[in-house]
Amino acid sequence: MFDTALTTADFIFLAKGAGITILVTAISVAIGTILGIAFGVIRIQLGPVFSAPLTFFLDIFRSIPLLIQLVLANAFVGMVLQLQISGFTVACLVLSLYTSAYCAEIVRGGIDSVPVTVRRAARSLGMTWGQDMRYIVMPLATRVALPSWIGLALGVMKDSALVYVVQVTELLKSTQILITRLQEPMLLLLICGAFYFIISFPLARFGGYLEKRWSND
C-alpha cells in the first residue's frame, strides 16, 4: 500500500513554487526578447567592427555560467551598490540579460537568412528601412528564428531553477525544502518533474504548431 506524508498544503506549496518559476521565466523571456531583438538589429546595422563592444558585452553573458552570474550580481548589488533589491528582482535582471545575449544571436541569424536580393527589391520599391524591417525582414526572419527562440524560452525556464542562490523559492527549491522535511525524494522529484512538464509542454507544442503551419504556407 502506498503511503506518504505529503499533504494538500505541501502540494499548494509546490504549486506556489511553480508559479514563481513561471513568473520569473515570463518576465525574463519577455524583457530578454525585446532587448535581444534590439541588440540583434543593432549588430546587423553597425556591422562587426562598430558593434564589437556590444558583442563583447553579450559574450560575457553567454560565456559565464548562469549560477556565477547570479551570485556575482547579488553580491554586487548588496555589497558594492548597497541597494536593497529583492532576490526576485536580481534574478529577473540577470536572466533577462542572459536571455537577451542568446536572443540577439537568434535574431541576427534570422535577419541574415533573408536574401539580400529580397531586401534590395523592397528598397527599390520605395520602402523605407523601417518598412523593410517591418513588412519584409521580420516576418521572414521570424520563421527561421522561432524554433530556436522556443528552445531558448524552455531553456530559461529550466535554468530558472538556479535562482535559489539569490533566495528565490521557485519550484526546485520548494521541492528541496519538502525533501528535507518529509524525506521522500523520489516521490517529490517525480512531482517536481511533472510540474516542469506541465509548464513546458504547451509552449513546445505551440511552437511546433506554428512551425508546421508556416512551413505549409
Side-chain angles (χ1 to χ4, degrees):
M1 182 177 178
F2 180 74
D3 187 25
T4 177
L6 201 64
T7 66
T8 302
D10 295 328
F11 272 105
I12 295 174
F13 181 66
L14 287 173
K16 289 181 179 179
I20 296 297
T21 292
I22 294 173
L23 185 58
V24 169
T25 302
I27 293 174
S28 302
V29 170
I31 296 175
T33 299
I34 294 172
L35 291 175
I37 292 173
F39 293 154
V41 172
I42 290 172
R43 288 189 62 191
I44 288 291
Q45 291 303 118
L46 294 182
V49 176
F50 292 104
S51 65
L54 175 60
T55 302
F56 176 76
F57 172 77
L58 296 176
D59 283 342
I60 293 175
F61 288 92
R62 285 196 297 267
S63 303
I64 299 176
L66 180 59
L67 181 64
I68 296 177
Q69 293 182 37
L70 288 165
V71 173
L72 290 178
N74 193 49
F76 181 77
V77 168
M79 299 173 62
V80 179
L81 299 182
Q82 296 184 348
L83 297 176
Q84 297 298 321
I85 298 178
S86 67
F88 180 86
T89 301
V90 172
C92 288
L93 288 173
V94 173
L95 274 173
S96 294
L97 290 172
Y98 176 80
T99 303
S100 71
Y102 284 95
C103 187
E105 281 298 305
I106 294 173
V107 171
R108 185 190 61 79
I111 294 175
D112 277 342
S113 70
V114 180
V116 176
T117 53
V118 173
R119 301 199 64 183
R120 287 175 180 170
R123 302 305 289 270
S124 68
L125 292 174
M127 285 188 174
T128 63
W129 178 86
Q131 291 172 329
D132 175 33
M133 292 296 294
R134 179 179 178 183
Y135 297 111
I136 304 297
V137 176
M138 284 305 178
L140 294 175
T142 299
R143 295 183 178 220
V144 175
L146 181 65
S148 297
W149 182 86
I150 293 291
L152 174 62
L154 292 173
V156 171
M157 185 271 293
K158 289 179 284 188
D159 288 340
S160 67
L162 297 175
V163 302
Y164 75 90
V165 299
V166 291
Q167 307 305 314
V168 177
T169 308
E170 40 65 63
L171 178 56
L172 186 58
K173 180 63 175 179
S174 300
T175 303
Q176 291 172 339
I177 291 173
L178 290 181
I179 288 175
T180 301
R181 181 165 62 84
L182 302 177
Q183 297 299 309
E184 297 183 23
M186 291 299 296
L187 174 61
L188 288 166
L189 288 174
L190 284 172
I191 295 173
C192 178
F195 268 113
Y196 275 114
F197 176 78
I198 292 170
I199 294 170
S200 61
F201 183 76
L203 179 60
R205 290 299 90 202
F206 179 66
Y209 164 76
L210 287 180
E211 186 178 2
K212 182 178 179 180
R213 180 178 178 180
W214 286 347
S215 65
N216 294 330
D217 288 345

